[in-house]
Amino acid sequence: MIISPPTRAEGRQVWVDGELLRAVHSLSGLTHVLQGAGWEGLDEVEAAESPLTAWYGGCPEVWSRND
């Protein structure tokens, strides 16, 4: 899973297996998107700390270019 750098308008894009799922603006939004993609039972801590996640342009606390 790849979490792209934040953009001014879209937030951060979420990519899984080369497919763009959507853009999100928060860790809770990321968790919701991943649960909808089949990662049922995933919580925010697991989403933020998963070794399967590559964070580009900032850590899980960065959701806008101003963070």
Side-chain angles (χ1 to χ4, degrees), residues 1-2 5-6 9 11 17 23 29-30 33 36 38-39 41 46-48 51-52 55 59-61 65-67:
M1 172 179 10
I2 295 173
D17 294 331
L30 172 63
V33 167
W39 296 36
E46 293 167 325
L52 303 175
W55 294 90
C59 61
E61 290 81 25
R65 297 178 111 189
N66 298 326
D67 286 346

Side-chain angles (χ1 to χ4, degrees), residues 1-3 14-21 34 37 39 52:
M1 172 179 10
I2 295 173
I3 312 301
V14 180
W15 296 81
V16 175
D17 294 331
E19 179 182 343
L20 175 62
L21 297 183
L34 294 176
W39 296 36
L52 303 175

Side-chain angles (χ1 to χ4, degrees), residues 10 12 16 25-26 32 38 48 51 54 56 67:
E10 293 182 358
R12 298 181 82 155
V16 175
H25 294 90
S26 66
H32 180 75
Y56 291 92
D67 286 346

Side-chain angles (χ1 to χ4, degrees), residues 38-57:
W39 296 36
E40 297 176 17
L42 186 74
D43 66 26
E44 290 183 14
V45 172
E46 293 167 325
E49 296 179 354
S50 172
L52 303 175
T53 305
W55 294 90
Y56 291 92

